[in-house]
Amino acid sequence: QLQVAESGGGSVQAGESLRLSCTAPGLTSNRCGIHWFRQAAGKKREWVSDINGDASLITYTHSVKGRFTNSRDEGKDTVYLQMNDLKPEDTAMYNCIPYGPPSCRNSQLGPGTQVTVSS
């Protein structure tokens, strides 16, 4: 069972950048993809981006295209979400969830990392 940990959130001004990390020992060897989701206070959870096990397929929700970049470092069992030109509407709790082979599912998920963007 993978254990996931997110980090990198914080409070920034609009237009600034943050890089979120999602680390899980075994992420690379199990060829897990990662879903990024976010949930703002009082709103439904929103899918943000996916990266598959070998980074050959990366997708984004429309509102973050051109601003967010999803990537992975296989040697560190880590997926990164680089977030540039942040907007107040990006404010949310961000979570990462492994997907793919059976060994990637039913992972122990992390608490998420909070991103707060002020105007």
Side-chain angles (χ1 to χ4, degrees):
Q1 186 184 46
L2 272 63
Q3 291 190 309
V4 177
E6 303 97 340
S7 62
S11 295
V12 297
Q13 297 287 318
E16 295 184 340
S17 300
L18 285 171
R19 188 178 75 164
L20 306 186
S21 298
C22 171
T23 300
L27 194 66
T28 300
S29 60
N30 287 282
R31 309 298 284 172
C32 301
I34 287 289
H35 299 302
W36 284 101
F37 286 91
R38 65 186 180 186
Q39 187 165 19
K43 295 189 175 181
K44 292 182 179 179
R45 188 174 72 167
E46 175 190 24
W47 169 74
V48 177
S49 178
D50 282 350
I51 184 168
N52 69 345
D54 62 2
S56 62
L57 182 62
I58 303 172
T59 53
Y60 303 93
T61 192
H62 178 73
S63 63
V64 308
K65 279 183 182 177
R67 299 189 298 121
F68 289 14
T69 303
N70 203 345
S71 63
R72 59 193 305 150
D73 184 330
E74 294 189 348
K76 295 183 178 179
D77 278 334
T78 298
V79 168
Y80 300 104
L81 188 67
Q82 176 68 42
M83 306 187 298
N84 297 332
D85 189 24
L86 283 161
K87 304 177 184 299
E89 52 264 41
D90 295 317
T91 295
M93 179 69 75
Y94 285 71
N95 291 90
C96 61
I97 301 175
Y99 71 93
S103 57
C104 305
R105 305 171 201 164
N106 299 316
S107 299
Q108 185 170 341
L109 302 180
T113 187
Q114 177 68 37
V115 172
T116 302
V117 185
S118 55
S119 57

